[in-house]
Each structure stands twice: as structure tokens, then as C-alpha cells.
Amino acid sequence: MSRHDEFDVVVVGGGSAGVAAAAAAARSGARTALIEQAGCLGGASTIRNVLTYCGLYTLGEETRQAVAGIASELLGKLRRLGAVTPPVRHRGVFVIFDPEAVKRSLDEICADAGVEVFMHAFVSRATRDGERITEIGFRDHGGLHRLRAKAFVDASGDCDLAFFAGASTRYGNYGAVNLGTLGTRFGGIPSEIVVTTEQLRSAIDAAKARGVGPLSKDQSVLARLPISNDLCCYFVSEDYDPRDSGSISDAERRGRQQAWIYLDILRRLPGCENAYLVSTGPDFGTRESRHINSVYQLTWRDVAEGRRAPDSVALGAWGVEWHDRTTFESTWTAPPDGSAYEIPLRSLISENTPNLFAAGRTADGDQKAGASLRVMGTAFATGQAAGAAAAMLADGGSVAPDTLRARLRAQGALVDLEALRDLPVIA
């Protein structure tokens, strides 16, 4: 049966950014729909085995939490479930979590906020009237359904809503696109066994010398999960176009092949003889796809020069984490002094579709800024800002930055560097 309904705000994508956007919009009084193509919320954190929240904390010696609000609510729920670690320092600062607990917690956040969630729903069309989107269409096994709204948030990761709506978008950053990685999770390794990056790199290099392959990387963050003690690794990388089903299908097949080869190598380490593959992905961890072209593109020069944004609505704290599509090597550049930077509202608003907001990795940053603000911790911040802005637009027809910043502060969010300086040092 086809569905037709009307909302104030429609959010596309139920990952970190999308949940934060939908909850913020609903708490602002907007009737809000959240459209997610998977069977759970969480995006990369639940369907891509990306089990570290990066971007929540500053990276300097005096670490502070840079993203609060809805992200803090989630962390509180995970702590009560024993499902998240304290902050871990490895190049960056992050926490490691159990994905099943994330699914439950995000369900609760959306239900408590009154968000109407549609899972197993893929947005495949959008209608605009002049410069504004008026309606989206999504498909499920019942066919095509249409939802009308006054404001929209694209948190799809691939900028599906913006693209189908005819909003201005681009793929990557003018030829540069961050490489994707397939998260692989291994069980059967006793908790007392310590697996180091040096051990694994040596074992991988020895395997390559024996002619074992294909193997894309010999270095990775190694994350031991709470509860299960499973080991999550990010060795498997492939070059693919996430917009193309054939391209990504081939990458996933090759990626799963690699995962089994890495398992054989892992089993050669002392104490890891009974290791087994718990899961791959199931989706590749796409780091970059389309972006909206926004009113203002955040640049890494803005960050490097410490430029302030009068309309700042979120903080970014992760570094430029770039994974090269040719060499498969990664590079890293931290923000100045390991602190945070301000993300302007202008970088979340479409340049040619004023009732469309972007959140997460659809937000507009240049190659380096985009490689920083894309991570899940920062996505909670841009999502909360975009959702609150969408609700304000739906209610009054415009968004006043100062009023929006006050609303975000009332929701517990950190909107500028002044708020960060008042916080205690946590590590």
C-alpha cells in the first residue's frame, strides 16, 4: 500500500548524523521522519564494523570532549550497558563500543524524541518546486511512498537526497576521493592475549614475502571490543565507486576474500590459533562519496589559521585522515595544538536549495577538511545542528544563527570554542 504523509522535517540516513538530526528536530517541536535503508540505525557504527567513535575528543595532551548533546546521551546509555571503553589514544583519541548496544540505544533516542522511523527504505526520488524540495519518494517491498516536508536533512553519506532532488553536489573533491575500508571482526582470541600492531605487521609482511595475497595493508588500528573482547581491524581496503552497484559489489567480494587471508595470518600469532571471523562489514566503510555544494565550503586553511565562524554550530576535533586510492597508504594531520575548530552553519546549507541541510560526510569541506569532519563523532555534532536548523526553518521560514546556537546550547550541544574551554580535562 502506498503511503502519503506530511512532516515538518524529513531526515534521510539513520547513521550518527541522521539520528542526531532527527532527534534534534523532533525535540525542537517538528514532526520528524527518519528514512534509513538498513534494518537498524547507526550507519557505519552498526552495519560497517566501524566500531570506534572518532572526533568526540580533542587530540592534545589535555583532552576535552568536543561533541556533547545527543552524543553524550548515547555515551551515557552505552556506559550503563558496559558497552563502551574509556577514551583510547592511538594517533587520535576515540572510544570503542559494542554495536548491538548502539542499535538499542539509538532506537531509544529516536523513540523518546518522537521521531517516526522508516527502516528498509531507500530514497529514490525527490520533487522540488523552484529552489525548494517539497517531497521525497522512498521504496520498500510495498512500492513507492511519498513524504512531504518543509525542510530536509541529507545525512545519507552518499548525498542521495540532494542528488535526486537536483541540488548542487559533487563527487569527492575535484578528483580526490578518500579510500574505503572493510571493517573485519575476529573472535576466539583470549582476553589475556595482547595482539600488537607490530606483531601483525610483521606477520603480514612475512606472508607477502611467501607470495600470500592479495593484501591491501599491513597497518591498522586494532580495537578490542567491550563485552565480547573481539578484535576489530581495518586492513582490507579497495578502490571502488560507492554510487555504482557493480563497482561496490566487486569490491565487497574482493574484500571478503582478503578478510579470510588476514584470518589465516592472525592464526599464526601465539594465542590466536583458534581465531575466527565474526563478521565483515557487512557494508564497506565508505569514507567519501558525494558532498553538497554549500553556501560556504569549510577549508583546512580555515582550520590551520584558527579562523572563527560567527555562525559556528558544531566543533570538529579529528585530524585529516587521508587514505590514498593509489598507494592504499594513510596519512594524518592533527588540528593545530590538537584542539578543535568551528564548523559554520553555512557549510551545512545547500547553495541552491535553501531548505536542504547536510550532516555527516555529506557536509561541505575541501579535501582535508572533509577528511576530518566526516567521522562519526563529528557527525553527531553536524547532525544535531542540521536537525535543529531544519526545525527552525520549518517553523518560521528562516534560520537565525544566534537563535539556533541558543537552541543547540539548550540541547546540550557545544557550538563554539568558548564552550570547549570551559570543559574539564578528561585524559
Side-chain angles (χ1 to χ4, degrees):
M1 179 180 295
S2 180
R3 179 188 183 107
H4 303 260
D5 212 338
E6 187 139 356
F7 291 85
D8 297 311
V9 175
V10 168
V11 179
V12 177
S16 302
V19 168
R27 291 175 184 179
S28 299
R31 187 185 180 206
T32 304
L34 176 58
I35 314 298
E36 167 54 43
Q37 63 179 323
C40 63
L41 301 175
S45 66
T46 54
I47 63 170
R48 294 182 171 180
N49 257 335
V50 183
L51 305 182
T52 56
Y53 280 135
C54 303
L56 293 176
Y57 304 95
T58 62
L59 309 180
E61 292 183 7
E62 294 187 344
T63 298
R64 292 177 170 86
Q65 187 170 334
V67 180
I70 291 166
S72 287
E73 293 179 34
L74 173 62
L75 289 176
K77 289 178 178 291
L78 296 179
R79 290 183 188 116
R80 288 189 288 275
L81 294 170
V84 66
T85 68
V88 175
R89 186 180 291 273
H90 176 88
R91 188 163 71 174
V93 178
F94 52 82
V95 294
I96 308 167
F97 54 84
D98 174 76
E100 292 301 320
V102 169
K103 293 178 187 178
R104 172 184 171 179
S105 299
L106 296 182
D107 282 342
E108 292 174 352
I109 287 172
C110 285
D112 291 346
V115 177
E116 296 187 45
V117 178
F118 300 87
M119 297 185 194
H120 303 283
F122 177 73
V123 170
S124 57
R125 57 176 290 182
T127 303
R128 59 191 295 142
D129 181 6
E131 63 179 5
R132 291 177 177 262
I133 302 172
T134 57
E135 181 182 274
I136 62 101
F138 71 85
R139 292 189 178 274
D140 61 12
H141 294 294
L144 176 66
H145 309 272
R146 294 190 288 271
L147 303 180
R148 295 183 64 84
K150 299 172 184 175
F152 298 82
V153 177
D154 191 331
S156 66
D158 295 296
C159 235
D160 292 330
L161 169 58
F163 179 74
F164 291 128
S168 178
T169 64
R170 69 183 185 280
Y171 179 56
N173 272 292
Y174 314 107
V177 184
N178 220 335
L179 181 72
T181 297
L182 182 68
T184 51
R185 180 173 169 181
F186 301 100
I189 304 170
S191 58
E192 67 272 12
I193 298 298
V194 177
V195 179
T196 68
T197 55
E198 292 77 14
Q199 276 181 304
L200 260 177
R201 182 174 187 175
S202 178
I204 292 166
D205 290 345
K208 287 181 176 179
R210 298 193 303 271
V212 174
L215 296 168
S216 50
K217 288 192 175 186
D218 61 6
Q219 296 184 75
S220 167
V221 171
L222 304 180
R224 276 282 193 152
L225 304 192
I227 303 177
S228 67
N229 278 309
D230 288 350
L231 180 71
C232 200
C233 308
Y234 305 95
F235 290 109
V236 179
S237 294
E238 292 285 344
D239 185 6
Y240 60 91
D241 185 338
R243 303 166 298 175
D244 181 85
S245 62
S247 178
I248 197 168
S249 295
D250 288 344
E252 287 171 341
R253 173 183 52 79
R254 296 191 302 267
R256 287 189 287 268
Q257 177 188 9
Q258 281 197 60
W260 283 95
I261 298 172
Y262 280 112
L263 172 62
D264 288 339
I265 294 170
L266 180 62
R267 284 173 171 167
R268 291 174 176 262
L269 298 184
C272 299
E273 297 83 359
N274 296 318
Y276 59 91
L277 187 59
V278 176
S279 63
T280 58
D283 290 354
F284 245 90
T286 300
R287 291 188 175 91
E288 187 170 23
S289 182
R290 299 186 191 98
H291 305 273
I292 70 160
N293 290 316
S294 70
V295 173
Y296 177 80
Q297 182 184 75
L298 182 70
T299 70
W300 193 249
R301 184 174 181 178
D302 294 333
V303 177
E305 295 182 358
R307 295 177 182 172
R308 304 296 301 275
D311 61 338
S312 175
V313 289
L315 293 176
W318 197 243
V320 179
E321 183 186 340
W322 184 258
H323 297 254
D324 189 85
R325 284 176 171 252
T326 302
T327 66
F328 287 9
E329 296 297 322
S330 65
T331 55
W332 168 263
T333 305
D337 302 320
S339 186
Y341 56 88
E342 296 181 339
I343 301 172
L345 174 63
R346 290 164 292 158
S347 298
L348 309 183
I349 303 174
S350 168
E351 69 174 3
N352 71 337
T353 308
N355 70 334
L356 173 63
F357 300 84
R361 57 187 172 90
T362 66
D364 195 1
D366 68 3
Q367 178 182 347
K368 290 184 176 181
S372 170
L373 63 81
R374 66 176 177 80
V375 294
M376 294 187 294
T378 311
F380 279 110
T382 57
Q384 188 165 357
M392 184 177 293
L393 182 72
D395 181 49
S398 62
V399 180
D402 287 345
T403 305
L404 174 62
R405 284 156 55 87
R407 179 173 293 182
L408 287 167
R409 290 190 188 100
Q411 292 186 1
L414 306 177
V415 300
D416 54 31
L417 291 174
E418 278 75 19
L420 181 66
R421 295 188 185 108
D422 294 337
L423 297 178
V425 175
I426 62 172

